[in-house]
Amino acid sequence: AQKITQTQPGMFVQEKEAVTLDCTYDTSDQSYGLFWYKQPSSGEMIFLIYQGSYDEQNATEGRYSLNFQKARKSANLVISASQLGDSAMYFCAMREGRRGTSYDKVIFGPGTSLSVIP
Amino acid sequence: DVKVTQSSRYLVKRTGEKVFLECVQDMDHENMFWYRQDPGLGLRLIYFSYDVKMKEKGDIPEGYSVSREKKERFSLILESASTNQTSMYLCASSLYSGRTGLTEQYFGPGTRLTVT
Protein backbone atom coordinates (compact mmCIF):
# COMPACT_ATOMS: atom_id res chain seq x y z
CA ALA A 1 0.00 0.00 0.00
CA GLN A 2 1.07 3.55 -0.63
CA LYS A 3 2.32 5.58 2.29
CA ILE A 4 3.89 9.01 2.77
CA THR A 5 5.90 9.90 5.87
CA GLN A 6 6.89 13.40 6.95
CA THR A 7 8.79 13.07 10.22
CA GLN A 8 9.07 16.78 11.07
CA PRO A 9 5.78 18.09 12.48
CA GLY A 10 7.28 21.57 12.92
CA MET A 11 10.39 23.37 11.68
CA PHE A 12 11.92 26.80 12.25
CA VAL A 13 14.29 28.57 9.88
CA GLN A 14 15.95 31.96 9.94
CA GLU A 15 14.96 34.32 7.15
CA LYS A 16 17.32 34.05 4.14
CA GLU A 17 18.57 30.63 5.22
CA ALA A 18 17.89 27.38 3.33
CA VAL A 19 15.69 24.66 4.82
CA THR A 20 15.05 21.01 3.93
CA LEU A 21 11.69 19.37 4.57
CA ASP A 22 11.82 15.59 4.66
CA CYS A 23 9.53 13.19 2.83
CA THR A 24 9.80 9.44 2.46
CA TYR A 25 7.36 7.28 0.57
CA ASP A 26 6.49 3.65 0.10
CA THR A 27 5.13 2.16 -3.08
CA SER A 28 5.46 -1.04 -5.06
CA ASP A 29 4.71 0.73 -8.34
CA GLN A 30 7.54 1.56 -10.77
CA SER A 31 5.69 4.54 -12.24
CA TYR A 32 4.69 7.24 -9.81
CA GLY A 33 5.00 10.95 -9.21
CA LEU A 34 5.80 13.08 -6.19
CA PHE A 35 4.45 16.52 -5.38
CA TRP A 36 4.93 19.22 -2.83
CA TYR A 37 2.12 21.59 -1.90
CA LYS A 38 2.08 24.63 0.37
CA GLN A 39 -0.92 25.56 2.52
CA PRO A 40 -0.70 29.02 4.11
CA SER A 41 -2.94 30.00 7.01
CA SER A 42 -5.55 31.20 4.48
CA GLY A 43 -6.17 27.54 3.64
CA GLU A 44 -5.65 27.35 -0.11
CA MET A 45 -3.46 24.56 -1.47
CA ILE A 46 -0.63 25.81 -3.68
CA PHE A 47 1.24 23.45 -5.97
CA LEU A 48 5.01 23.92 -5.70
CA ILE A 49 6.94 21.22 -7.55
CA TYR A 50 6.66 17.78 -9.17
CA GLN A 51 9.05 14.88 -9.78
CA GLY A 52 8.21 11.87 -11.94
CA SER A 53 9.75 8.55 -10.95
CA TYR A 54 11.56 8.28 -14.30
CA ASP A 55 12.89 11.86 -14.29
CA GLU A 56 16.66 11.72 -14.17
CA GLN A 57 17.19 15.29 -13.05
CA ASN A 58 15.99 16.67 -9.73
CA ALA A 59 13.10 19.07 -10.25
CA THR A 60 13.60 22.78 -9.59
CA GLU A 61 11.14 25.67 -9.57
CA GLY A 62 12.61 29.01 -8.57
CA ARG A 63 13.64 28.78 -4.91
CA TYR A 64 12.22 25.26 -4.60
CA SER A 65 14.14 22.12 -5.47
CA LEU A 66 13.32 18.50 -4.90
CA ASN A 67 16.11 16.21 -3.71
CA PHE A 68 14.93 12.92 -5.20
CA GLN A 69 16.71 9.76 -4.04
CA LYS A 70 14.83 6.89 -5.64
CA ALA A 71 16.73 4.04 -4.00
CA ARG A 72 16.08 5.54 -0.56
CA LYS A 73 12.49 6.43 -1.50
CA SER A 74 12.92 9.98 -0.38
CA ALA A 75 11.79 13.25 -1.98
CA ASN A 76 12.91 16.10 0.22
CA LEU A 77 11.94 19.70 -0.53
CA VAL A 78 14.68 22.30 -0.31
CA ILE A 79 13.68 25.95 0.01
CA SER A 80 16.55 28.33 -0.55
CA ALA A 81 16.72 31.89 0.84
CA SER A 82 13.64 31.53 3.07
CA GLN A 83 11.18 34.41 3.19
CA LEU A 84 8.60 35.33 5.81
CA GLY A 85 5.89 34.40 3.31
CA ASP A 86 7.18 30.82 3.29
CA SER A 87 5.65 30.25 6.72
CA ALA A 88 2.98 27.62 6.04
CA MET A 89 2.13 23.92 6.16
CA TYR A 90 3.95 21.86 3.54
CA PHE A 91 2.58 18.58 2.25
CA CYS A 92 4.34 15.86 0.31
CA ALA A 93 2.07 13.81 -1.97
CA MET A 94 2.40 10.81 -4.27
CA ARG A 95 0.40 9.68 -7.27
CA GLU A 96 0.11 6.22 -8.69
CA GLY A 97 -1.44 5.40 -12.03
CA ARG A 98 -2.71 2.29 -13.72
CA ARG A 99 -1.64 1.28 -17.21
CA GLY A 100 -4.18 1.88 -19.94
CA THR A 101 -6.53 4.05 -17.89
CA SER A 102 -6.68 7.56 -16.50
CA TYR A 103 -6.70 6.04 -13.00
CA ASP A 104 -4.86 8.43 -10.72
CA LYS A 105 -4.62 7.95 -6.98
CA VAL A 106 -2.98 10.75 -4.99
CA ILE A 107 -2.26 10.50 -1.28
CA PHE A 108 -0.71 13.04 1.08
CA GLY A 109 1.58 12.95 4.07
CA PRO A 110 0.72 14.50 7.46
CA GLY A 111 2.55 17.74 6.66
CA THR A 112 5.30 19.89 8.17
CA SER A 113 4.62 23.29 9.66
CA LEU A 114 7.38 25.71 8.68
CA SER A 115 7.92 28.96 10.55
CA VAL A 116 10.35 31.54 9.15
CA ILE A 117 11.90 33.76 11.83
CA PRO A 118 12.90 37.35 10.96
CA ASP B 1 -8.08 29.72 -14.85
CA VAL B 2 -9.09 26.38 -13.40
CA LYS B 3 -11.86 26.70 -10.92
CA VAL B 4 -13.00 24.14 -8.39
CA THR B 5 -16.02 25.14 -6.37
CA GLN B 6 -17.61 23.52 -3.38
CA SER B 7 -21.24 23.97 -2.48
CA SER B 8 -20.71 25.33 1.04
CA ARG B 9 -17.84 26.86 3.04
CA TYR B 10 -19.43 26.03 6.39
CA LEU B 11 -22.03 23.44 7.25
CA VAL B 12 -23.57 22.38 10.55
CA LYS B 13 -25.53 19.13 10.66
CA ARG B 14 -27.02 16.91 13.31
CA THR B 15 -25.97 13.35 14.05
CA GLY B 16 -27.84 10.92 11.81
CA GLU B 17 -28.59 13.41 9.04
CA LYS B 18 -27.76 12.64 5.43
CA VAL B 19 -25.23 15.17 4.15
CA PHE B 20 -24.35 16.05 0.57
CA LEU B 21 -21.14 17.88 -0.31
CA GLU B 22 -20.90 18.94 -3.92
CA CYS B 23 -17.84 19.77 -5.97
CA VAL B 24 -17.78 21.22 -9.47
CA GLN B 25 -14.80 21.85 -11.75
CA ASP B 26 -14.90 23.79 -15.00
CA MET B 27 -11.80 22.49 -16.84
CA ASP B 28 -12.91 19.11 -18.15
CA HIS B 29 -10.62 17.21 -15.78
CA GLU B 30 -10.90 13.44 -15.76
CA ASN B 31 -9.82 13.00 -12.16
CA MET B 32 -11.61 14.22 -9.06
CA PHE B 33 -10.86 13.58 -5.39
CA TRP B 34 -12.36 14.01 -1.95
CA TYR B 35 -10.10 14.44 1.08
CA ARG B 36 -10.67 15.26 4.70
CA GLN B 37 -8.10 17.35 6.54
CA ASP B 38 -7.56 17.03 10.27
CA PRO B 39 -4.74 18.58 12.34
CA GLY B 40 -1.72 16.31 12.56
CA LEU B 41 -3.14 13.85 10.03
CA GLY B 42 -2.74 15.84 6.82
CA LEU B 43 -5.10 15.17 3.94
CA ARG B 44 -6.60 11.71 3.90
CA LEU B 45 -8.12 10.37 0.71
CA ILE B 46 -11.76 9.32 1.04
CA TYR B 47 -12.73 8.52 -2.55
CA PHE B 48 -11.55 9.41 -6.00
CA SER B 49 -12.89 9.10 -9.53
CA TYR B 50 -10.96 8.83 -12.78
CA ASP B 51 -13.92 8.93 -15.16
CA VAL B 52 -17.66 9.47 -15.17
CA LYS B 53 -19.38 6.79 -13.08
CA MET B 54 -15.97 5.37 -12.06
CA LYS B 55 -15.17 5.57 -8.37
CA GLU B 56 -12.45 4.10 -6.22
CA LYS B 57 -12.09 3.89 -2.47
CA GLY B 58 -9.31 5.84 -0.90
CA ASP B 59 -7.77 5.17 2.48
CA ILE B 60 -10.76 6.08 4.67
CA PRO B 61 -14.02 5.38 2.77
CA GLU B 62 -16.02 4.05 5.71
CA GLY B 63 -19.14 6.10 6.37
CA TYR B 64 -18.95 7.86 2.99
CA SER B 65 -20.16 7.29 -0.55
CA VAL B 66 -19.72 9.26 -3.76
CA SER B 67 -21.46 9.94 -7.03
CA ARG B 68 -20.10 11.08 -10.36
CA GLU B 69 -22.88 11.22 -12.95
CA LYS B 70 -21.32 14.07 -14.94
CA LYS B 71 -17.67 14.76 -15.62
CA GLU B 72 -17.67 18.14 -13.94
CA ARG B 73 -19.42 17.16 -10.71
CA PHE B 74 -18.30 14.88 -7.87
CA SER B 75 -20.51 14.53 -4.82
CA LEU B 76 -19.57 13.21 -1.39
CA ILE B 77 -22.40 11.71 0.66
CA LEU B 78 -22.44 11.06 4.38
CA GLU B 79 -25.32 8.60 4.69
CA SER B 80 -25.72 9.12 8.45
CA ALA B 81 -23.48 11.84 9.80
CA SER B 82 -21.57 11.18 13.00
CA THR B 83 -19.58 13.50 15.25
CA ASN B 84 -16.30 11.88 14.17
CA GLN B 85 -16.97 13.16 10.66
CA THR B 86 -16.56 16.74 11.83
CA SER B 87 -13.70 17.95 9.66
CA MET B 88 -12.56 20.11 6.76
CA TYR B 89 -13.44 18.49 3.44
CA LEU B 90 -11.39 19.34 0.37
CA CYS B 91 -12.27 18.53 -3.21
CA ALA B 92 -9.63 18.47 -5.94
CA SER B 93 -9.44 17.80 -9.64
CA SER B 94 -6.63 17.09 -12.08
CA LEU B 95 -6.09 16.55 -15.76
CA TYR B 96 -4.70 13.14 -16.66
CA SER B 97 -1.50 13.43 -18.70
CA GLY B 98 -0.05 9.94 -18.59
CA ARG B 99 1.20 7.70 -15.84
CA THR B 100 4.29 9.74 -15.12
CA GLY B 101 3.24 13.14 -16.43
CA LEU B 102 2.70 16.23 -14.36
CA THR B 103 -0.89 16.36 -13.22
CA GLU B 104 -1.03 18.75 -10.33
CA GLN B 105 -4.30 18.95 -8.45
CA TYR B 106 -6.46 22.02 -8.22
CA PHE B 107 -8.27 22.36 -4.94
CA GLY B 108 -11.56 23.88 -3.93
CA PRO B 109 -11.80 26.24 -0.95
CA GLY B 110 -12.97 23.47 1.38
CA THR B 111 -16.12 22.83 3.41
CA ARG B 112 -15.84 22.92 7.17
CA LEU B 113 -18.44 20.45 8.38
CA THR B 114 -19.53 20.31 12.01
CA VAL B 115 -21.71 17.43 13.15
CA THR B 116 -23.41 17.99 16.50
Side-chain angles (χ1 to χ4, degrees), chain A residues 2 29-33 35 37 39 42-45 47 49-55 89 91 93 95-111, chain B residues 9 30-33 35 37-45 48-51 56-59 88 90 94-109:
Chain A
Q2 289 174 295
D29 204 347
Q30 295 302 308
S31 293
Y32 54 90
F35 302 84
Y37 287 85
Q39 187 181 45
S42 55
E44 79 254 45
M45 294 288 284
F47 164 72
I49 196 166
Y50 175 80
Q51 179 90 39
S53 59
Y54 292 123
D55 294 341
M89 283 291 292
F91 293 100
R95 67 178 286 248
E96 285 188 343
R98 192 179 279 173
R99 195 185 300 275
T101 73
S102 58
Y103 177 104
D104 212 14
K105 181 179 183 182
V106 182
I107 64 164
F108 284 73
Chain B
R9 290 300 302 271
E30 292 90 351
N31 304 111
M32 296 188 75
F33 309 81
Y35 298 90
Q37 183 174 11
D38 301 287
L41 298 176
L43 280 71
R44 292 181 292 165
L45 181 63
F48 64 104
S49 167
Y50 58 97
D51 204 348
E56 292 275 345
K57 293 180 181 178
D59 295 332
M88 171 68 86
L90 292 171
S94 67
L95 181 69
Y96 182 71
S97 68
R99 294 177 73 224
T100 58
L102 169 58
T103 61
E104 77 267 33
Q105 292 171 306
Y106 295 83
F107 284 82

Side-chain angles (χ1 to χ4, degrees), chain A residues 5-96:
Chain A
T5 303
Q6 294 180 254
T7 57
Q8 307 150 313
M11 292 273 289
F12 291 89
V13 63
Q14 205 76 35
E15 195 177 5
K16 298 178 186 165
E17 298 286 311
V19 63
T20 298
L21 306 184
D22 293 342
C23 172
T24 57
Y25 59 93
D26 190 20
T27 179
S28 55
D29 204 347
Q30 295 302 308
S31 293
Y32 54 90
L34 297 151
F35 302 84
W36 278 91
Y37 287 85
K38 171 184 177 181
Q39 187 181 45
S41 56
S42 55
E44 79 254 45
M45 294 288 284
I46 301 167
F47 164 72
L48 296 178
I49 196 166
Y50 175 80
Q51 179 90 39
S53 59
Y54 292 123
D55 294 341
E56 293 185 354
Q57 303 275 353
N58 283 346
T60 60
E61 287 287 346
R63 294 186 299 112
Y64 304 108
S65 60
L66 201 153
N67 183 2
F68 181 47
Q69 297 187 46
K70 195 170 180 178
R72 297 179 64 181
K73 293 189 174 177
S74 76
N76 298 340
L77 177 71
V78 181
I79 305 175
S80 62
S82 297
Q83 302 172 355
L84 295 178
D86 294 335
S87 293
M89 283 291 292
Y90 288 82
F91 293 100
C92 180
M94 177 171 66
R95 67 178 286 248
E96 285 188 343

Side-chain angles (χ1 to χ4, degrees), chain B residues 81-96:
Chain B
S82 64
T83 55
N84 63 12
Q85 293 178 309
T86 291
S87 186
M88 171 68 86
Y89 289 86
L90 292 171
C91 174
S93 74
S94 67
L95 181 69
Y96 182 71

